[in-house]
Amino acid sequence: AAVIAIGVLLYKNLDTIEAKATEVWSAVSSKVTEVVENIKDKFEELKAKAEAIFNSLPAPARAALSAIASVFSVQFNVIKTVVSTGFALIKNTFTTAFAAIKALVRGDMEGVKQAINNGMKNAWNIVRNGVTNIASAFKDLGVKLRQAGRDAVQGFIDGVDGKIEAAVAKMRELA
């Protein structure tokens, strides 16, 4: 009897419950987005200051620091992907659960099946996209490290070349 009463109560208030859950999710999502944006802004400020210092360094030092920055950039992207994938999965779980409950309360077993099926497909796509983004980040790391190595060698060559030219010019001056 209590289960039936709860079912009837849920059925009568399903739209209110769904609206409230959507409101709560939006508030949480909005706050998380705000925090992430603030963190991104602080990182952009820090990045601008670091770039000014970085550009004043000799080429080999810049190349070495570029390699280190590439590793940290990949780590940040992986963390960002894991967090956003986690939130997307949580949102998908709630959406799926509400759709299934809504269908169940209405006695629509096909709707329950469809809600669960859609939820599973969405979860699979969320995870697949997350894994693809992480793999892409590591692929980009290899490209960035190779370029940093090239820049380091070219910086060394340019430095040696410049010193040789200065030495030759000095010898001509003395001769």
Side-chain angles (χ1 to χ4, degrees):
V3 173
I4 293 172
I6 291 171
V8 169
L9 187 62
L10 278 174
Y11 180 73
K12 287 183 176 180
N13 295 304
L14 192 58
D15 292 332
T16 304
I17 293 169
E18 186 176 10
K20 194 58 160 171
T22 301
E23 179 185 333
V24 168
W25 176 257
S26 293
V28 169
S29 180
S30 174
K31 192 63 173 172
V32 168
T33 300
E34 180 184 331
V35 168
V36 168
E37 288 300 319
N38 286 339
I39 291 170
K40 281 172 54 176
D41 290 345
K42 293 298 178 190
F43 272 110
E44 288 298 322
E45 290 174 18
L46 185 61
K47 180 182 173 187
K49 291 176 184 176
E51 282 179 353
I53 295 169
F54 178 79
N55 289 332
S56 68
L57 297 173
R62 285 195 313 262
L65 289 175
S66 287
I68 293 168
S70 295
V71 171
F72 283 112
S73 174
V74 167
Q75 289 175 347
F76 180 73
N77 286 337
V78 168
I79 291 168
K80 182 176 91 172
T81 298
V82 168
V83 169
S84 65
T85 299
F87 275 111
L89 285 172
I90 291 169
K91 180 180 179 184
N92 182 61
T93 301
F94 279 105
T95 303
T96 301
F98 280 119
I101 290 169
K102 191 175 186 179
L104 185 62
V105 168
R106 292 186 178 145
D108 180 10
M109 295 312 288
E110 187 61 34
V112 172
K113 178 182 169 188
Q114 189 63 39
I116 293 171
N117 189 28
N118 288 343
M120 295 301 287
K121 285 180 184 177
N122 290 339
W124 171 250
N125 288 333
I126 291 166
V127 170
R128 187 181 63 206
N129 289 339
V131 169
T132 299
N133 290 343
I134 290 170
S136 176
F138 280 108
K139 180 182 175 190
D140 290 345
L141 175 63
V143 171
K144 290 177 180 177
L145 290 176
R146 184 176 65 212
Q147 186 61 46
R150 285 180 180 163
D151 292 345
V153 170
Q154 188 61 50
F156 177 74
I157 290 168
D158 292 346
V160 169
D161 187 42
K163 293 300 178 186
I164 289 173
E165 288 176 11
V168 168
K170 190 64 167 175
M171 283 187 224
R172 287 187 183 145
E173 181 184 309
L174 294 174

